[in-house]
Amino acid sequence: MITLWFSLVVLCWVLFFVLEGFDFGVGILGPVLGRDDHERGAIVRTVGPFWDGNEVWLVAAIGVTFAAFPAWYAAMLSALYLPMVAILLLLAVRGVALEFRGKGGGERYRRRADAALAGSSTGIVLLWGAVLGILTHGLALGADGQVTGTGLSRTLGPLFSGPALIGALIALLAALLLGSTFLALRTSGPVRTRARSFGVRLAGAAAVVLVALGLLGNHPLMLLGAALAVIIAVVARRELVAFVVTAAGVALGTVAVFTVHGDVILRSTLNDAWSLTRDGAAATDSALKLITVVGAVVLPGVLVYQAFSYWVFRKRVASERVPS
């Protein structure tokens, strides 16, 4: 039962980072790839039907983590509550920018909405990347399972560590690759052409960065990521393949974050014996059985609904101007 729920936790986080990853990437790239108001509007419309449904997986991931592994949830949030609060605030800004972009009058208003969308998306990606980098490295867990330290050094100190900065950089590259390959797949006209070209250049840059990080830190997964980036650059004209390869790379990276230490789900940087394991952090058997019943009803329904929405809105969004 514990293994099942750990797998479901990882699945929810994978779906969130893949699906919201291209949302964030599109938000960042709007002002970059859109040359005028019409093109920027077309870019936003590519994620319009999906972004709020994709955010459901954040709710699911946090809820499942809390229900199935409460000790894990408590330890993470006790140390990372400030970046998590910042992420939630930026998600609110992003939601307002998406929903109200078309509500006001004038191009200047929409430019401000696009800037707010790009800025909030960038901040969210960097913070999530830093959080994942921190979780990969571990936290200063004491013998009682609580993070040691006081004040801002406890909550902000890890954000400025090497693993956090590397995680933020990799997350930004991943979001931009997801966004560019998604736009190439979902648009027609000049935005499609620019997105494809941008994706090729970005994949080459990502490959160089990941090779350097992999060789410096002896991380085989970084080298795998670099290989995937090269594949993306090679198959850029086959837009579906490029997007699928990018999404697979993000999914593999997310799985690696949660499984890099094996049975240990949160490593203690003070003493390995104080690390949290799956068995030690899991809820009681009765609680796991109860949420299994709920999950068996809710999760398939969410998957079916999302698959249906993607099928309904599967056609490309035109970025070229149609003559009147």
Side-chain angles (χ1 to χ4, degrees):
M1 192 71 73
I2 292 174
T3 301
L4 169 65
W5 274 103
F6 179 75
S7 301
L8 289 174
V9 167
V10 174
L11 174 63
C12 288
W13 284 112
V14 165
L15 289 171
F16 170 69
F17 286 119
V18 170
L19 298 178
E20 278 287 80
F22 70 71
D23 281 351
F24 297 144
V26 168
I28 298 170
L29 290 173
V32 177
L33 299 180
R35 296 292 186 266
D36 55 32
D37 186 57
H38 174 77
E39 291 181 359
R40 289 189 293 272
I43 289 172
V44 172
R45 287 197 298 277
T46 62
V47 297
F50 310 126
W51 71 270
D52 48 355
N54 292 342
E55 280 192 359
V56 167
W57 291 109
L58 175 60
V59 178
I62 291 176
V64 170
T65 304
F66 170 74
F69 299 93
W72 184 22
Y73 175 90
M76 288 191 295
L77 266 292
S78 67
L80 301 173
Y81 66 87
L82 282 182
M84 295 304 296
V85 168
I87 287 172
L88 292 176
L89 291 175
L90 289 170
L91 283 171
V93 173
R94 173 174 168 268
V96 170
L98 282 165
E99 287 294 325
F100 287 87
R101 183 186 188 276
K103 300 293 192 294
E107 183 177 345
R108 186 177 180 184
Y109 172 89
R110 289 188 290 274
R111 277 185 175 274
R112 289 177 177 175
D114 292 336
L117 175 60
S120 58
S121 297
T122 302
I124 293 167
V125 168
L126 292 175
L127 284 170
W128 269 125
V131 167
L132 292 179
I134 292 166
L135 294 180
T136 303
H137 178 68
L139 290 168
L141 291 177
D144 58 355
Q146 300 299 312
V147 178
T148 61
T150 58
L152 293 179
S153 62
R154 177 188 182 188
T155 55
L156 290 182
L159 281 178
F160 299 99
S161 63
L165 297 176
I166 291 173
L169 173 62
I170 293 174
L172 183 60
L173 290 172
L176 290 173
L177 270 174
L178 274 172
S180 59
T181 54
F182 181 78
L183 284 173
L185 180 65
R186 285 277 294 142
T187 59
S188 62
V191 169
R192 177 188 181 188
T193 303
R194 290 187 209 114
R196 194 162 55 193
S197 176
F198 183 85
V200 171
R201 296 195 300 271
L202 183 65
V208 172
V209 170
L210 290 172
V211 166
L213 291 174
L215 294 177
L216 288 173
N218 192 25
H219 293 304
L221 190 65
M222 298 285 189
L223 300 178
L224 173 60
L228 290 175
V230 172
I231 293 172
I232 294 166
V234 171
V235 302
R237 291 189 175 275
R238 299 173 63 183
E239 292 151 353
L240 178 60
V241 177
F243 177 72
V244 169
V245 171
T246 307
V250 173
L252 288 172
T254 305
V255 171
V257 168
F258 290 103
T259 60
V260 65
H261 300 298
D263 189 53
V264 172
I265 55 177
L266 188 58
R267 175 177 169 267
S268 171
T269 57
L270 301 178
N271 189 328
D272 286 339
W274 297 342
S275 300
L276 276 179
T277 64
R278 297 179 197 175
D279 292 342
T284 62
D285 288 341
S286 58
L288 291 177
K289 289 177 182 177
L290 176 61
I291 61 175
T292 298
V293 175
V294 177
V297 175
V298 175
L299 289 178
V302 175
L303 288 169
V304 170
Y305 167 77
Q306 272 209 303
F308 177 74
S309 68
Y310 277 95
W311 173 255
V312 170
F313 296 102
R314 66 189 181 278
K315 292 185 178 179
R316 291 180 182 269
V317 176
S319 66
E320 63 269 35
R321 292 186 177 275
V322 180
S324 57

